[in-house]
Amino acid sequence: MSFPIERYLLPEAPSGPPAGFTEVRRPLTAGLPQRIDLGAAAHAVLILPTGLARQWLAADPLAVVTTSADESAPRPVPAPRPLPALGARVPLRLVVRQGTRVLGSVPFAAGLRRRCGPLEVVVLGWHLTAGTVRGSGDYGSWLAVGWRAADVAVDQFGPPPINVFVWRRRPPAQRIESEQGAARLRYHHRLLDKKLRRVVR
């Protein structure tokens, strides 16, 4: 028997590409943005839109900007590293293109799979330092993604969601919901009861 909220939990970070995916692992020595060739005559461009300049020039080139190790590390995570005027999570993205046509954008989250036109892309891991953001050079940055032709159906299925009326009949000990969610559910039920009374009258 599966746990009731198992489908809402984050999967473990993969150690390699899923079945059918081709792995692309390469060092990031050309700075950002950087082009990564994929299949199906497509390529991806790694970008980090921050709007900063002087802060990156003053940063330590080996300072870690973002890494997938933070997402796979046991909780609680260490305190955020002091980065140049950035939030807790930098907007690192992979823009998938075919020629000059943009097929999609993939935000960096360990294990995230996203379809971009004729390709499906999965994020396997990354390590980005401030020196790579600033320009070309070997500062220890690397990227690992996987891709496959998006010509087959999904290979994973989750259980269907439980109907709200069935959920209400379950014992309170088996229901996990926030007070806000419960209040919203009661509000919808009151509206439904009003509509049913109007129909009966």
Side-chain angles (χ1 to χ4, degrees), residues 177-186:
E177 59 186 4
S178 66
E179 294 181 0
Q180 182 179 5
R184 186 183 299 111
L185 189 62
R186 287 193 297 269

Side-chain angles (χ1 to χ4, degrees), residues 45-64:
V45 179
L46 182 64
I47 61 172
L48 179 61
T50 65
L52 305 176
R54 183 176 301 175
Q55 291 89 337
W56 288 116
L57 295 175
D60 180 5
L62 299 180
V64 178

Side-chain angles (χ1 to χ4, degrees), residues 40-139:
H43 67 275
V45 179
L46 182 64
I47 61 172
L48 179 61
T50 65
L52 305 176
R54 183 176 301 175
Q55 291 89 337
W56 288 116
L57 295 175
D60 180 5
L62 299 180
V64 178
V65 177
T66 175
T67 176
S68 57
D70 287 344
E71 297 191 4
S72 59
R75 297 298 188 262
V77 297
R81 300 179 180 88
L83 297 176
L86 290 175
R89 187 182 183 91
V90 295
L92 190 63
R93 291 187 172 273
L94 198 67
V95 178
V96 182
R97 305 196 308 178
Q98 196 169 42
T100 58
R101 184 167 63 100
V102 176
L103 302 177
S105 176
V106 183
F108 269 55
L112 176 66
R113 291 169 60 169
R114 179 160 292 182
R115 178 169 177 174
C116 300
L119 295 180
E120 185 178 6
V121 180
V122 57
V123 179
L124 301 176
W126 69 91
H127 185 83
L128 183 66
T129 58
T132 303
V133 178
R134 190 164 58 189
S136 59
D138 189 0
Y139 300 102

